[in-house]
Each structure stands twice: as structure tokens, then as C-alpha cells.
Amino acid sequence: MPPYAHNIFASYPAVLARLAQAPGVLQVEEILDFAARADKPRDGVVYVVFDGASPLSDIDQSREALYSIGFSAWLAQQHPQPDKSAYRETRIGETYTGLLRLLQGFDPTDEEGRALVASPYRPEKGPSPQYVDGFVLLPLRFTATVAVV
């Protein structure tokens, strides 16, 4: 039985490690609620929030249920010109693209080669970017499917 059958978060450590590989990412931090974070954003930090799990199948009489699990990652990049778009800055685009590239189709496995998700991670529409305290906060949202037995 795959690890995700008993733990829908089995892939979470692999996701965090994968995000840390993007060019320009200095740190990956887990937070419970993006809006309620206490500190000022820090340049090059990716903040990760669990968005929830949604059933993908009727589970009334089923022994196995499919769920979509979702995470949002918020890239914080210092934006010294708040009166201009952050999208002109090459480093911001390269880091954001690197994060997208690392997660699209990501199909993590454990040290024994067992799948940690039933289907690879895929991008989904996320919330709108935010500008806070001289930073641009760029979100990306991604989901994967797991089966709970």
C-alpha cells in the first residue's frame, strides 16, 4: 500500500525540499495562515500554506476515496519601486518561473521508490499577488491526488 493511503501529507516534506531548489529562494517557511503571519515578509522566502483537501469521488460506500490536496506557496521578493510593476524585474520572473517548473508534474517518491501521491502535482489558479511593505508576494497554487484507504 502506498504511503499516502495512510497519510495524505506523505508528500509534504518532498514538496518543501523541492521548493527550496528554485533559483533565488533563500528559505522555505511553513505558515498556518498567510494573512495572519506576524512578521514582515523577507526577500527570497517562500511561505507555504496547506489549502485543504477535497473529495474527488463519492465516499459513501467506498473502501477507497480519492482526494485532491492543495498547497499555496507565496514567493516574497523585495520590490523597491512600489509605483511600478514588479514583473519587469528579471530576478523575480526567474525565481517564480523556477518554482513553477519544479512543481508542475512533480511526482515525489519515498526512499524506497514508492509514490507519495496518486497523480503528480499540477498548477491551479491561485489568489492574486499582494504588495506589502515594499515586497511583492507572488502566489502559486498546486494540487495532487491521493487515495485514502
Side-chain angles (χ1 to χ4, degrees):
M1 192 156 309
Y4 59 79
H6 300 289
N7 176 7
I8 66 169
F9 302 117
S11 66
Y12 187 59
V15 167
L16 296 176
R18 186 86 166 181
L19 290 168
Q21 296 173 13
V25 170
L26 304 178
Q27 186 173 350
V28 175
E29 290 188 11
E30 304 168 74
I31 57 176
L32 300 178
D33 180 1
F34 185 75
R37 72 189 185 294
D39 61 341
K40 180 178 176 177
R42 294 188 319 275
D43 195 38
V45 174
V46 173
Y47 299 94
V48 180
V49 180
F50 173 62
D51 289 331
S54 302
L56 296 175
S57 57
D58 183 11
I59 58 175
D60 288 342
Q61 308 254 340
S62 178
R63 293 174 195 238
E64 180 178 289
L66 296 177
Y67 286 85
S68 173
I69 58 170
F71 296 96
S72 287
W74 294 80
L75 170 63
Q77 295 278 246
Q78 195 163 22
H79 181 51
Q81 298 178 324
D83 59 330
K84 297 198 190 279
S85 169
Y87 312 116
R88 298 173 189 247
E89 295 187 36
T90 302
R91 71 179 176 87
I92 293 174
E94 289 175 349
T95 301
Y96 192 71
T97 302
L99 289 167
L100 292 170
R101 184 178 292 127
L102 285 168
L103 290 175
Q104 64 189 21
F106 180 45
D107 196 5
T109 57
D110 67 10
E111 55 280 343
E112 297 172 21
R114 297 179 300 174
L116 296 176
V117 292
S119 68
Y121 279 94
R122 60 198 169 277
E124 296 210 358
K125 181 173 176 21
S128 297
Q130 297 181 17
Y131 289 85
V132 179
D133 297 326
F135 286 83
V136 59
L137 301 161
L138 297 170
L140 57 126
R141 184 168 194 282
F142 47 98
T143 61
T145 302
V146 295
V148 177
V149 180

